[in-house]
Amino acid sequence: MRRHRNVKIVATLGPASNDYDTIRALHEAGADVFRLNMSHGDHSEIKVRHDIIRQIEADMNSPIAILADLQGPKLRVGVFKNSEEELVEGADFRLDLDDAEGDVTRVKLPHKEIFDALEPGAHLLVNDGKIKLRVKECAADFANCEVVVGGTISNRKGVNVPDVTLPVAALSDKDRKDLEFVCELGVDWLALSFVQRPADVEEARELAKGRAAILSKIEKPNAVKAFDSILEASDGIMVARGDLGVELPVQNVPPIQKQLVRKCRAAAKPVIVATQMLESMIDSPMPTRAEVSDVATAIYEGADAIMLSAESAAGSYPIEAVTTMNNVAAEVEADPTYTDIIEASRKSDGKTVADGIVSAAREIAETTDVKAICCFSQSGTTALLVSRERPRVPIVALTSYESTARRLCLSWGTNCVMTGAVNRFKDAVVAAVRAALDQELASTSDKVVVTAGVPFNTPGSTNILRVAPCEERLIYANQSE
């Protein structure tokens, strides 16, 4: 299914989007990638959703990417005798390993690894940052704190520790089981929560064994500090603004978002901007003006994808939410200012032949009457490099590997087309021309730019470019290839 926009839309599935008709309607409305949230639903429910997506993919002959979002370790306080207590600013409050039910003076924090990492002066945030505690003194089994920001604390509320690197693996036992399950199902992307260091990404990659690409969620201050090395270890990035906005001052999030998007683009790795993009559409058929501006900002920044969470998973208007995102994207990308911003922010440190080829392809396409850039890409590398260029003309990514076509559904501007295996560049040119015609991106009187790597089936070998006529007989007229 050809989209009339370049940015991709990720829609989370859940109780509000759990059947064939709804999921198909979401895809038709604009969802390019479906997110399976492993925090909600057991394996049987996840499998049902996965199978429905693959059925829709077959019925519509349209590659669809599936992103499995692993839960990550959850740090929570214990339970209270009265279910909840009111903490007052300036009061003392103790966190410890005692199994006794909590009260207004203390509660169990069943995570020894937190106590091992804490130091006096560190802060702990409870219940999405609504309560803030400062550590006064601590040891291996307790932390005596001062209540900096008070509020209601209740059973099993989440805890964030923004000031220290926790000796906690990004993958819990549950995550490892979930990872193996979804990789066997055949998902295309794994979203890794609680990433703090590149080693977290490498552990997931080792377990995935090439069955899925690894996308790191940036939601902790330490991940921002180590971002360059995390990006290098990852196949893609999610700017997870929810937890990031809890652990950092909220005013820090917009510039961080902009910086991370630019770095991902320069590295030719897809980046998703996520969390609370159309939050009001959980209950309303119309978004707020501020939410529309937030979505537009991510598109103007050059993000590969924008994501819906509860809006499509549990909201009352999932299809309307996707439609709204699609409409905002189309309007923004039609704005001449959008092109100016995207081109002004174009940056690449690459110095390889492949970098030069895709840059030349973009320049040729934009300075002549070429209708599309067609890249033959078995591993996806060529398509990612072309996507990084953010050309003004459509990108047709051709591959004979279903897994590559699906993964590329997350990348900006890529129209993914399955084709047969080729052994000669002329065969790739013919396949590219046919795809451009089938996608109605060109007519037989037009031309397209074709890029590929020769010899074929060698990742990262992009080394050839041709401006090809869309009339096949003119291609075969040249018998030298």
Side-chain angles (χ1 to χ4, degrees):
M1 176 180 287
R2 185 195 160 199
R3 306 295 190 195
H4 295 279
R5 55 169 162 77
N6 292 306
V7 70
K8 301 302 180 73
I9 295 175
V10 182
T12 304
L13 299 184
S17 48
N18 217 16
D19 60 89
Y20 179 97
D21 289 342
T22 303
I23 297 173
R24 177 164 178 155
L26 289 173
H27 182 54
E28 292 174 336
D32 305 286
V33 182
F34 286 109
R35 172 176 172 253
L36 304 178
N37 188 352
M38 304 307 293
S39 298
H40 304 290
D42 58 27
H43 285 185
S44 62
E45 293 173 303
I46 295 297
K47 184 179 186 306
V48 167
R49 292 169 189 160
H50 175 276
D51 291 349
I52 289 173
I53 296 167
R54 291 298 181 230
Q55 185 61 55
I56 293 167
E57 181 182 63
D59 292 346
M60 299 186 70
N61 191 28
S62 174
I64 301 173
I66 301 179
L67 168 70
D69 195 332
L70 302 176
Q71 176 177 285
K74 291 299 180 183
L75 308 177
R76 302 182 184 278
V77 298
V79 299
F80 291 84
K81 184 176 182 180
N82 297 322
S83 296
E84 64 177 40
E85 295 287 351
E86 193 72 22
L87 300 188
V88 179
E89 181 180 335
D92 291 332
F93 192 73
R94 180 183 176 95
L95 301 166
D96 56 40
L97 295 174
D98 191 334
D99 289 331
E101 294 179 321
D103 56 30
V104 75
T105 65
R106 61 156 296 278
V107 73
K108 182 179 181 179
L109 180 61
H111 302 285
K112 187 178 185 305
E113 59 273 22
I114 293 182
F115 296 115
D116 290 338
L118 284 179
E119 296 177 353
H123 292 89
L124 296 100
L125 307 173
V126 185
N127 192 13
D128 289 335
K130 294 181 176 67
I131 294 173
K132 185 174 185 179
L133 308 175
R134 182 179 61 82
V135 177
K136 294 164 58 177
E137 60 176 328
C138 54
D141 58 353
F142 77 90
N144 291 332
C145 306
E146 177 189 359
V147 179
V148 178
V149 178
T152 303
I153 186 170
S154 55
N155 295 343
R156 300 185 180 87
K157 287 300 180 185
V159 177
N160 294 81
V161 191
D163 298 339
V164 297
T165 300
L166 294 175
V168 178
L171 294 171
S172 65
D173 290 341
K174 170 181 164 38
D175 293 325
R176 291 184 179 88
K177 294 175 183 176
D178 288 346
L179 183 152
E180 182 59 28
F181 172 73
V182 296
C183 282
E184 283 299 299
L185 271 184
V187 303
D188 309 294
W189 286 89
L190 288 169
L192 188 60
S193 301
F194 210 86
V195 174
Q196 297 186 94
R197 55 186 81 82
D200 295 331
V201 186
E202 296 302 340
E203 180 187 3
R205 188 178 300 283
E206 186 176 338
L207 292 171
K209 298 175 183 173
R211 292 172 291 176
I214 309 298
L215 185 142
S216 295
K217 295 168 66 175
I218 306 301
E219 52 191 352
K220 298 188 71 61
N222 285 321
V224 176
K225 293 176 184 176
F227 181 72
D228 290 349
S229 55
I230 289 172
L231 175 61
E232 185 177 356
S234 307
D235 299 306
I237 294 292
M238 181 189 294
V239 185
R241 304 179 304 177
D243 280 331
L244 200 57
V246 170
E247 299 212 3
L248 287 168
V250 290
Q251 66 270 19
N252 290 15
V253 176
I256 288 172
Q257 173 179 314
K258 187 177 294 289
Q259 293 161 20
L260 301 192
V261 168
R262 286 205 176 188
K263 287 185 176 184
C264 289
R265 182 179 164 195
K269 294 185 178 182
V271 55
I272 304 170
V273 175
T275 319
Q276 297 179 333
M277 300 211 82
L278 295 175
E279 183 97 343
S280 69
M281 290 194 75
I282 295 172
D283 302 308
S284 168
M286 291 291 291
T288 67
R289 277 58 171 175
E291 288 169 339
V292 170
S293 292
D294 180 43
V295 172
T297 295
I299 299 169
Y300 277 115
E301 288 171 349
D304 288 84
I306 46 182
M307 193 176 98
L308 294 167
S309 298
E311 301 97 327
S312 58
S316 300
Y317 304 95
I319 297 167
E320 291 84 350
V322 172
T323 301
T324 296
M325 270 196 163
N326 184 78
N327 292 342
V328 173
E331 194 68 26
V332 167
E333 292 182 9
D335 176 14
T337 307
Y338 170 76
T339 303
D340 293 342
I341 293 172
I342 290 297
E343 294 183 355
S345 61
R346 184 178 288 130
K347 179 184 178 183
S348 170
D349 297 328
K351 298 179 177 62
T352 66
V353 170
D355 292 318
I357 290 288
V358 298
S359 179
R362 191 253 312 155
E363 288 195 30
I364 291 169
E366 293 178 353
T367 56
T368 64
D369 192 25
V370 164
K371 298 301 182 183
I373 298 175
C374 302
C375 45
F376 203 93
S377 186
Q378 297 293 55
S379 67
T381 303
T382 304
L384 290 172
L385 292 175
V386 175
S387 176
R388 179 186 64 192
E389 292 292 311
R390 302 293 194 259
R392 298 181 195 176
V393 299
I395 303 168
V396 181
L398 298 103
T399 181
S400 57
Y401 292 118
E402 195 172 49
S403 58
T404 298
R406 288 168 173 169
R407 291 180 189 180
L408 286 173
C409 289
L410 186 58
S411 296
W412 186 99
T414 52
N415 296 282
C416 303
V417 177
M418 290 293 300
T419 186
V422 299
N423 297 311
R424 296 191 310 156
F425 183 61
K426 181 171 284 185
D427 295 334
V429 172
V430 171
V433 163
R434 290 176 179 174
L437 294 173
D438 289 343
Q439 296 272 319
E440 298 182 348
L441 297 172
S443 66
T444 53
S445 60
D446 292 321
K447 295 179 179 179
V448 296
V449 173
V450 184
T451 67
V454 178
F456 288 99
N457 303 315
T458 305
S461 66
T462 307
N463 58 6
I464 193 166
L465 177 154
R466 176 175 172 181
V467 178
C470 291
E471 177 60 64
E472 277 194 43
R473 65 180 180 82
L474 296 178
I475 300 173
Y476 285 111
N478 183 354
Q479 297 299 326
S480 63
E481 297 175 20

